[in-house]
Amino acid sequence: MRQNRRSRNKGGLSGFFSGLAAWFRKIPEKLAAFPGHVKGHPKRYIAIAAALVLVLGGTVAATTLIKPPAPPEEVIAEEEPEEELVGEVIDIADEANRKEGWYTFVVAGTDQGGGNTDTIMVGAYDSVNGKVNVVSIPRDTLVNVSWSVKKINAAYLHGGIDGLKNELKKIVGFAPDSYAVVDLEAFVELVDAVDGVEFNVPQDMNYSDPTQDLYINLQAGYQTLDGEQAVGLMRYRSGYADADIGRIATQQDFLKAFARKCLQIGNVTKIKTFANIFNEYVETDMSLGNIIWYGSEFLKLSASDINFHSLPANTGASVRGGSYVAIYINDWVDMINEILNPYESDITTANLNILTTRSGSLYSTTGVIAGGESSFLDYYALTGQQDPDAVVPDASLDVDGDGVADGYDLDGDGVIDSLDGVNPIETTTSGGGVTGGEGTSGGGVTSGEE
């Protein structure tokens, strides 16, 4: 049985949009009264629809001001104690520094019961030029946090929406103006509300997980997907060679198709249905006025005005056996400034707190790794596998002949030069033995502390 979620969006959505929907249903007959009316012409419908949103919105302006979301007024609290904060980041947030007509947002989709956000998208709307750009942030993106599995999809679990926004601010350089956390059921309802979405499924998709009540069975090819099938498409990743990255590409293609379907005139008139779904299943900080404003702006766009992008990153990075997505910092900074940055000043690495990998080693833009490198979960120890980069004793270096390697050969010259595989020892050879400074010679190995 479906459980309803209480939205954080307040303000009488159902009543207002019920009246608005009634107006939309009368659009065809009102258009018919105009001389030269062309029956069913979508451009005219959309123009009138947009006008009605603004006109009707004006009638409730006394109680709800229709306007875009305002930039965040205060710094988001860190999810970690003050003594664990890492690095100094320069904040460029300044109202006087904002680009005219730019608004930013984050949309996150939660998994079923786990508390993670496996779909994360950061976007910017340029209302002056009528362009929307959205960047998908992979679930395994490496973030500079103290917890052991340092992936961005766990930020919501650890700190709620403020925790997620905080981590996004670290990697994009600014706090998004608004957010929407979408329940899976909302997506089912939205797709069903437009009578399904026509989409070319790129490959056969078969997956079963009774613990999540998740059953995906889709055949490759062009077809109309209902809500449940669309959720399966959006969640499927096991069959892609590049797992989550392949899933993101399919998600972006589907969202483009969904946007095209929503912009069809028959679906524009379903605004009351959309509003009810939003009210029931979406957690947001947007006011009623913000939602009406975004809705009226959306009606002005075509599908070609909405563009999706992928985070430039090494999708095959690994830390202590765990798979991560490591950001390519220079490419990412260029992308931020080109399509996301709502400020006139360019964002630089000084505005970011990014943990990534370079030449197999960890690198932080702040110079500090939260919790230290040892705080990463050791997947090798967890699974009992051997770390391929670990220094392993050479069994041939059995000085005392007991069949056990007596130390480590760090430089590969066949001579033991470390007892722990990390710290070198000063060695002298006498009678075939190896000593560490003050040790005694003979057939054994000493560390100088025995």
Side-chain angles (χ1 to χ4, degrees), residues 197-444:
V197 175
E198 294 71 31
F199 187 71
N200 187 21
V201 179
Q203 65 183 61
D204 290 347
M205 299 181 179
N206 296 287
Y207 182 79
S208 177
D209 184 355
T211 63
Q212 298 187 66
D213 193 25
L214 177 61
Y215 303 94
I216 302 171
N217 183 17
L218 295 173
Q219 303 302 309
Y222 190 80
Q223 57 199 282
T224 300
L225 301 178
D226 64 21
E228 292 289 350
Q229 291 171 321
V231 167
L233 177 90
M234 296 285 281
R235 297 191 67 185
Y236 182 79
R237 72 188 188 105
S238 61
Y240 296 113
D242 46 5
D244 194 48
I245 306 307
R247 174 171 65 171
I248 285 174
T250 300
Q251 287 178 341
Q252 292 179 345
D253 289 341
F254 182 81
L255 289 173
K256 291 176 187 177
F258 180 63
R260 285 193 296 269
K261 190 68 178 283
C262 287
L263 288 170
Q264 292 178 6
I265 185 59
N267 292 318
V268 170
T269 61
K270 296 178 179 177
I271 191 168
K272 176 180 181 291
T273 300
F274 295 149
N276 287 338
I277 294 169
F278 193 92
N279 193 43
E280 185 172 359
Y281 296 108
V282 177
E283 174 190 334
T284 183
D285 59 349
M286 287 186 285
S287 68
L288 173 60
N290 298 155
I291 296 167
I292 297 173
W293 182 84
Y294 264 125
S296 65
E297 292 293 305
F298 183 68
L299 293 176
K300 302 174 185 178
L301 303 177
S302 65
S304 61
D305 295 324
I306 305 171
N307 299 292
F308 291 89
H309 311 265
S310 296
L311 179 75
N314 173 11
T315 59
S318 177
V319 182
R320 303 191 81 182
S323 61
Y324 289 89
V325 172
I327 297 173
Y328 292 140
I329 295 175
N330 293 336
D331 293 343
W332 175 229
V333 170
D334 289 343
M335 180 178 285
I336 292 172
N337 288 317
E338 182 178 350
I339 64 173
L340 292 178
N341 184 7
Y343 296 98
E344 296 288 352
S345 300
D346 278 353
I347 286 173
T348 70
T349 54
N351 310 119
L352 306 175
N353 182 352
I354 293 177
L355 181 62
T356 187
T357 59
R358 286 185 175 178
S359 302
S361 300
L362 289 169
Y363 169 79
S364 168
T365 57
T366 65
V368 180
I369 299 174
E373 187 169 350
S374 62
S375 65
F376 277 84
L377 177 64
D378 188 345
Y379 285 88
Y380 292 121
L382 189 67
T383 60
Q385 299 178 1
Q386 176 64 53
D387 183 351
D389 297 321
V391 179
V392 181
D394 187 339
S396 65
L397 301 180
D398 177 13
V399 178
D400 54 13
D402 64 355
V404 178
D406 299 303
Y408 296 80
D409 175 14
L410 297 181
D411 55 15
D413 62 358
V415 177
I416 295 174
D417 44 29
S418 173
L419 295 174
D420 59 8
V422 177
N423 301 304
I425 57 174
E426 297 179 8
T427 61
T428 59
T429 304
S430 175
V434 180
T435 65
E438 299 178 1
T440 58
S441 62

Side-chain angles (χ1 to χ4, degrees), residues 106-110 117-121 156 161 164 179-183:
V106 56
V107 177
T110 56
T117 48
D118 282 357
T119 298
I120 302 172
M121 294 179 288
Y156 187 78
I161 188 59
L164 176 59
Y179 72 85
V181 180
V182 183
D183 185 275

